[in-house]
Each structure stands twice: as C-alpha cells, then as structure tokens.
Amino acid sequence: MFVLMGDGEQGEGSNWEAAMFASHHCLDNLVGIIDRNGLQINGSTREVLDTRDLREKYAAFGWSVKVVDGHNIEELLNTFQSIPFQKGKPSMVITNTIKSKGMPFAEGNVKYHHWNPGKDSCESKEAQEALEHYTKEKGWAI
C-alpha cells in the first residue's frame, strides 16, 4: 500500500498517529512517499512549521527511511525496487523536489503552489510564455 503526502501536511497529528500505528504493527507492506518541496499553501515549510528533520522523525517512529532526488527517475525506480527497506518496518521515501520544476518563473515560488495554468488564469507574461512553449514545443493540450 502506498500513501502519498506533502511535507506541508506533516504538521498534522493524524500523520504521526498513523506512523506509530504502522510501526507498532510491523506493516512492512506500507510505503509512505513524501514530496518534500519546502512549500505549502501559506509559505515555506520552514516559516510555517519546519519539517527539516523528517528522516530522523520517521526513523524514531520505527520506519525505515530513504531520502532521494524526486526528479531522478532511475533513483526512484531503484528505491522502489528495494521495498521493503527492512523486514518488519514500514518504508518511507522522502523525495526532495522543486515545486514547478521546469518552469523557471514558478520554480520554488509559493505564489504558484495552487496555481491553475489554464489560459484564463495566467497572471504574468512568463506564465503565458510557458503555456505557449508547452502547447507548441511539447504538443501539450491545455
């Protein structure tokens, strides 16, 4: 079973209750995946609720943890092929990513955290240029 989470939601107590439950019951068929991009709706995770020690926190809760480059497909595939990381422990994959990677005007910018890139919602010249690039150069339909 796979559970996808963002780093911004790691401040919710229900995540930690579930983490304790999973390790207590030795759920080595459970895989958590955290998209660690450093942003949440109200700002950076460091400003809102610092989540820098996620590896240590999950390990302390009894999980086997690996941190990977979330943009490196080969590394992700190798990591997923090694699951479970340790028999009798749930596995956590923390993927370090950059929000909006590939769109330089939006990379790591909280303004674009919940941005809908439809033509009617473009707020900047850069956004319009990106839409034109991806529809023309990449053949994407928007």
Side-chain angles (χ1 to χ4, degrees):
M1 175 181 284
F2 292 86
V3 179
L4 303 175
M5 300 175 277
D7 53 350
E9 67 188 279
Q10 295 306 300
E12 297 176 12
S14 57
N15 289 320
W16 298 105
E17 291 175 35
M20 285 189 289
F21 181 92
S23 63
H24 177 80
H25 292 285
C26 304
L27 301 182
D28 60 7
N29 64 338
L30 177 62
V31 181
I33 303 169
I34 297 176
D35 176 20
R36 186 185 188 109
N37 59 43
L39 295 176
Q40 59 185 52
I41 195 165
N42 295 329
S44 77
T45 54
R46 289 210 171 167
E47 294 170 341
V48 177
L49 186 60
D50 199 346
T51 58
R52 71 175 165 241
D53 297 328
L54 287 177
R55 175 198 285 256
E56 293 84 5
K57 289 175 185 174
Y58 274 94
F61 274 69
W63 289 59
S64 185
V65 183
K66 291 192 179 184
V67 178
V68 299
D69 176 352
H71 300 293
N72 184 327
I73 301 302
E74 185 176 338
E75 184 177 8
L76 287 167
L77 289 173
N78 290 336
T79 300
F80 290 130
Q81 289 172 350
S82 67
I83 291 171
F85 302 146
Q86 189 173 347
K87 187 158 178 55
K89 288 188 172 189
S91 301
M92 177 59 69
V93 181
I94 300 173
T95 63
N96 291 317
T97 63
I98 298 170
K99 177 66 88 176
S100 303
K101 182 156 177 76
M103 297 191 328
F105 69 92
E107 282 187 5
N109 186 338
V110 72
K111 173 182 175 183
Y112 296 98
H113 186 71
H114 283 286
W115 178 59
N116 177 355
K119 289 182 181 176
D120 295 334
S121 68
C122 291
E123 301 173 14
S124 67
K125 179 182 176 190
E126 295 91 351
Q128 189 60 44
E129 289 172 359
L131 284 173
E132 290 172 8
H133 170 76
Y134 285 106
T135 55
K136 187 180 283 183
E137 300 290 324
K138 306 275 187 183
W140 293 5
I142 297 181

